[in-house]
Amino acid sequence: MEVAVRLAVQCGEAMLEAIAAVDSQSGLNLKDGKHGIDPQTATDLANERLVIDTLKLIFPTHAVIGEESCAAAGGKVPMVDPSVPTWIVDPIDGTQNFCTSLPLSVVSIGLCLNGVPALGVIYDPFRDELFVGVAAEGAYLNGVRMRADAKRTALDKAMVLTDVGYERSPKGARRLAACHEALLLANTFGVRIVGSTVLALAWVAAGRASAFYVGLHKKDVPKAWDWCAAKAIGDASGVVFLRAENDIPFDLTSPSVCAAGSEALAKTLRRTLCQATVVLKD
Amino acid sequence: MEVAVRLAVQCGEAMLEAIAAVDSQSGLNLKDGKHGIDPQTATDLANERLVIDTLKLIFPTHAVIGEESCAAAGGKVPMVDPSVPTWIVDPIDGTQNFCTSLPLSVVSIGLCLNGVPALGVIYDPFRDELFVGVAAEGAYLNGVRMRADAKRTALDKAMVLTDVGYERSPKGARRLAACHEALLLANTFGVRIVGSTVLALAWVAAGRASAFYVGLHKKDVPKAWDWCAAKAIGDASGVVFLRAENDIPFDLTSPSVCAAGSEALAKTLRRTLCQATVVLKD
């Protein structure tokens, strides 16, 4: 935990430095042409290099999986023997926000033991907020115990977060918009799009939002590096994780999530989303 | 400016204290039954009282208009003789976020001279960020000159923010969802829902987002206290303000906005929204 916290804060400081250095008129050092709306910055790469190299040095027997190195290898999460302790790292989650200096992005470092997220560290440099969770032990925000919101179990009391990812296809846009409309029609207290799956899940774990969903179509689908730290923290603070599309238990291979502070809200949210999308013609 | 900055920071500190004091399990002191999804907190009322009383004491000849006192009087913005300097105040913008401790709400204090926003002060207590603008002089974020994003003039490069307000009617939900879908189909770089019109406009003024729109239907319609400070700051940092629904020049009575760092983007955004909503049957 100590190593992960130190690395997360170091990466967060690098994010702030990069943003302070940038001329707001010119934008960050994007590989624009190559990635279009799915950008990758020099800070992403430098942060991931720092985290991977340090973890491998300190824990030579552990495996380390990072978003950017996997993106370079085609975007697939490599298979790792579950008996090997495995760090799963997203050096900047919410890279689109980071690119425009929108202060909604975080560093995420998780550790899997026996294939299950056991430790999660998420650092939000813009608010100097550190979310730490140890499964079956507890979750903490800047050292203070935190708990998910178990009370707002109905949509008309619930602050619901979501993301749109990189999904821009006609069918995907229709599905995302149908869910947006269904939640407004259900008189949902609040609907917000944060642009960082990890930050949204950290806020649900801290009880600042009631629920979060994502993964309704092909390109708003998070990967293991979006889930690992947030799942360990959420498990320790009372978050219920369901898949958005079916009853298969949520795990790091899940393409979607309906996460909430209560099972009742997670199920109501999932039912609302499923009803909204099932009526759409393919 | 000195008085407004001091008051804004004082109000922001009261917001942080209220959130620190609250048990995340119980929620803030909402007048829940009375206001449903449009809440009002004790901190709203106390902040507004502080600001109005102080401004009236220091500037006895000025008029002061506050959101909460107007809400108590039926929600209408009172008519004031434009020759009287008029402070327009929203003690907490993003009250829904504030209620759930989601760190996306701000204090907004604006001053109109001859009916035109001349000074704007917006304080974000969660990031300790102070946005100040003096029309025709300049806009500053924590003392550093800031400018809107004039470069990202096309949607596929633009980070677009919006809000859903309290609009939950079938027709309103359909209009909001249709715009959401249209922006995704237009391959917009990013689409975010912040939940605070004032914070969103401050971020556009600071070049952290390219554009913001709101006011597509009856209950997502901001009032003068949402516009005043942000308009003064935006005017000073290069934001272009259009109404979302027609060509009438934007002013404090406008029910909607398409604001962007460039006229080209504001117009493209407005055209996209109008096309998306015009095809809907009433």
Side-chain angles (χ1 to χ4, degrees):
Chain A
M1 188 197 298
E2 203 185 303
V3 174
V5 165
R6 181 158 45 83
L7 284 171
V9 173
Q10 256 181 285
C11 289
E13 283 164 0
M15 289 165 68
L16 293 184
E17 276 164 32
I19 283 186
V22 80
D23 170 7
S24 70
Q25 296 303 302
S26 66
L28 292 169
N29 178 19
L30 298 185
K31 295 189 176 176
D32 243 340
K34 214 169 164 188
H35 289 74
I37 65 166
D38 180 1
Q40 188 186 55
T41 69
T43 314
D44 275 286
L45 297 170
N47 271 359
E48 179 157 317
R49 198 67 270 149
L50 169 74
V51 175
I52 291 181
D53 288 352
T54 308
L55 289 174
K56 283 192 169 165
L57 191 73
I58 300 180
F59 307 108
T61 61
H62 294 189
V64 187
I65 296 173
E67 186 195 7
E68 306 309 335
S69 12
C70 291
K76 288 223 167 158
V77 183
M79 292 293 290
V80 175
D81 176 354
S83 71
V84 177
T86 303
W87 296 90
I88 306 185
V89 174
D90 190 348
I92 300 180
D93 187 68
T95 305
Q96 282 193 319
N97 291 344
F98 178 66
C99 287
T100 65
S101 305
L102 202 65
L104 298 166
S105 55
V106 294
V107 183
S108 175
I109 300 178
L111 174 63
C112 274
L113 300 178
N114 300 312
V116 176
L119 165 70
V121 172
I122 297 171
Y123 182 60
D124 172 355
F126 299 98
R127 279 160 288 277
D128 190 24
E129 288 190 333
L130 184 74
F131 304 80
V132 175
V134 181
E137 212 255 69
Y140 303 85
L141 168 50
N142 285 355
V144 178
R145 183 71 178 255
M146 67 184 197
R147 283 186 200 287
D149 170 9
K151 284 214 173 160
R152 295 187 184 87
T153 55
L155 285 173
D156 65 348
K157 304 282 182 203
M159 177 61 74
V160 177
L161 310 180
T162 186
D163 267 336
V164 295
Y166 307 115
E167 182 55 55
R168 301 290 185 273
S169 71
K171 192 179 166 190
R174 204 163 13 127
R175 287 171 63 88
L176 268 57
C179 291
H180 188 57
E181 184 174 351
L183 285 175
L184 294 176
L185 282 176
N187 200 31
T188 302
F189 179 75
V191 178
R192 306 286 181 259
I193 303 178
V194 170
S196 160
T197 285
V198 177
L199 179 60
L201 285 169
W203 282 350
V204 171
R208 293 179 179 179
S210 320
F212 171 70
Y213 72 93
V214 77
L216 301 174
H217 208 61
K218 292 170 195 165
K219 287 198 163 178
D220 68 333
V221 167
K223 297 265 173 69
W225 40 82
D226 298 298
W227 299 139
C228 183
K231 179 67 162 62
I233 295 172
D235 281 349
S237 80
V239 177
V240 175
F241 291 82
L242 306 177
R243 290 179 188 231
E245 76 285 16
N246 60 37
D247 269 334
I248 301 172
F250 178 91
D251 64 22
L252 294 190
T253 68
S254 297
S256 69
V257 81
C258 255
S262 67
E263 192 172 352
L265 181 60
K267 287 190 168 167
T268 300
L269 178 59
R270 179 167 71 179
R271 197 170 54 243
T272 306
L273 301 176
C274 287
Q275 282 168 356
T277 49
V278 79
V279 295
L280 299 175
K281 282 166 280 181
D282 267 351
Chain B
M1 189 199 296
E2 203 185 306
V3 174
V5 165
R6 180 158 46 83
L7 283 171
V9 172
Q10 255 181 286
C11 288
E13 283 165 0
M15 289 166 68
L16 293 184
E17 278 164 29
I19 283 184
V22 79
D23 171 5
S24 71
Q25 296 303 301
S26 66
L28 292 169
N29 177 23
L30 297 187
K31 294 187 175 176
D32 243 339
K34 214 169 162 189
H35 291 74
I37 65 166
D38 179 2
Q40 186 187 58
T41 69
T43 313
D44 275 287
L45 298 172
N47 271 2
E48 179 157 317
R49 199 66 271 151
L50 169 74
V51 176
I52 291 181
D53 289 351
T54 308
L55 290 174
K56 283 191 171 167
L57 191 73
I58 300 181
F59 306 109
T61 61
H62 294 189
V64 188
I65 297 173
E67 185 194 6
E68 306 308 335
S69 12
C70 292
K76 287 222 169 157
V77 183
M79 292 293 289
V80 175
D81 176 354
S83 72
V84 177
T86 303
W87 296 90
I88 306 185
V89 174
D90 191 348
I92 302 179
D93 188 67
T95 305
Q96 283 192 320
N97 292 343
F98 178 66
C99 287
T100 65
S101 305
L102 202 64
L104 297 165
S105 52
V106 293
V107 183
S108 176
I109 300 178
L111 173 64
C112 274
L113 299 179
N114 301 311
V116 175
L119 166 70
V121 172
I122 297 171
Y123 183 60
D124 172 355
F126 300 98
R127 288 163 213 75
D128 190 23
E129 288 189 334
L130 184 74
F131 304 80
V132 175
V134 181
E137 213 255 69
Y140 302 86
L141 169 49
N142 285 354
V144 178
R145 184 71 180 254
M146 66 185 199
R147 285 188 197 283
D149 169 11
K151 283 217 175 158
R152 295 186 183 88
T153 55
L155 285 173
D156 66 347
K157 303 282 182 201
M159 176 61 75
V160 177
L161 311 180
T162 186
D163 266 337
V164 296
Y166 306 117
E167 182 56 55
R168 300 292 185 274
S169 70
K171 192 179 165 189
R174 205 166 8 127
R175 287 171 64 87
L176 268 58
C179 291
H180 188 58
E181 183 173 351
L183 285 175
L184 294 176
L185 281 176
N187 199 31
T188 302
F189 179 75
V191 178
R192 306 286 181 258
I193 304 178
V194 169
S196 161
T197 285
V198 178
L199 178 61
L201 285 170
W203 282 351
V204 172
R208 293 178 177 178
S210 320
F212 171 70
Y213 71 94
V214 76
L216 301 174
H217 207 60
K218 294 171 195 165
K219 287 197 164 180
D220 70 332
V221 168
K223 297 266 174 68
W225 42 81
D226 298 299
W227 300 139
C228 184
K231 178 68 163 61
I233 295 171
D235 280 347
S237 82
V239 177
V240 175
F241 293 81
L242 306 177
R243 292 182 187 229
E245 77 283 17
N246 59 38
D247 268 334
I248 301 172
F250 179 90
D251 65 23
L252 294 190
T253 67
S254 299
S256 69
V257 82
C258 257
S262 67
E263 192 171 352
L265 181 59
K267 286 190 170 169
T268 301
L269 178 59
R270 179 167 71 179
R271 197 170 54 243
T272 306
L273 301 176
C274 287
Q275 281 169 355
T277 50
V278 79
V279 295
L280 298 175
K281 280 168 281 181
D282 268 351

